[in-house]
Amino acid sequence: MSSSWAAALEVVAAARVTLVLGATDTGKSTLVTRLAGALAGAGHAVGVVDADLGQSDVGPPTTVGLGRVRAPIQRLAEAELVALEFLGVTSPACCMRQTAGSTARLVRRAQAIGCERVLVDTSGLVAGAFGHALKRLKLDAVRPDALVALQHADECEPILREYAGGPIVVRLPAARTARRSAVARRQARQQALQAHLRGAVPVTLDLGRVATRAAPTGRGPAVTEAEGLLVGLGGHDGCTLGLGWVSAVDTARARLTVATRVEAETITWVAIGRERYRSG
Ligand SMILES: Nc1ncnc2c1ncn2[C@@H]1O[C@H](COP(=O)(O)OP(=O)(O)OP(=O)(O)O)[C@@H](O)[C@H]1O
Ligand SMILES: [Mg+2]
């Protein structure tokens, strides 16, 4: 085990909230998995918030997810899913503020259910004005005690520079790994969505009874244009219960037919996302 890993673990073990930063394929999710497992193995109550909308590990793509880790795990997807927030898109570029808000809410939720240590995994968008703005919004909303930056060179420094004197920063070398292509990423997203929707059954939603909510990304597609789109389905406490996709729209009777694994009687609202679901 390297000394840099030991140093990171020591800092993270003492921080209530740690956020992991880095470009794509730098090993963020692998590091979060190892850190969460090590902390759980040492007896901490550990929560992981997955703020990556595209390459999601905790919960499906288009959501920010909260999972609990109770023992060492091999993959972040093994975390026990506790809560989801549906954003309706797979890239944070058009909903940076909302992604940051969902991330911060799920961190507070993790703390409210007793997680003494919360790790936040993030998307690989760190470069340029977009990356910088997204991470600044996330950091300002989450206010972590520690930041772990995985870097090839100094690509996170423009972000870290702004937080000098703030959270404790640990810099680690990025994993030496082949970068996944855009096609491979899209395929991984589709497979993750298919896994979430495996075993989905058609549910008819009467829009006189079930509220249509705007997806957090703001003005999204109208109900009349919803066929084939992913939707978030929610319950009484405002939480996202799971996803579905719209298989039919009956405008005359104000009904949507949605394929989902969420129990029909628990659904009180539906939010129409912007992503089209491809069943295979
Ligand atoms: N320390 C490491 N040594 C060797 N391979 C690694 C290491 N960390 C991660 N990998 C491998 O690199 C690939 C990318 O890792 P990972 O998914 O953790 O990166 P990421 O930064 O979360 O990527 P993304 O930006 O897509 O979320 C995976 O195949 C993983 O197994
Ligand atoms: Mg990742």
Side-chain angles (χ1 to χ4, degrees), residues 23-30 52 55 124 175-177 180 185:
T24 50
D25 293 321
T26 48
K28 300 178 295 296
S29 301
T30 304
D52 189 347
Q55 303 299 307
R176 291 184 186 283
T177 158
R180 276 176 297 169
R185 288 175 170 274

Side-chain angles (χ1 to χ4, degrees), residues 29 56 94 102 117 121 143 177 183 193-194 199 210 239 241 247 250 280:
S29 301
S56 302
C94 60
S102 290
R117 298 289 174 265
D121 191 7
R143 298 183 160 276
T177 158
V183 171
L193 286 165
Q194 285 161 9
V210 172
C239 284
L241 299 168
S247 58
D250 181 345

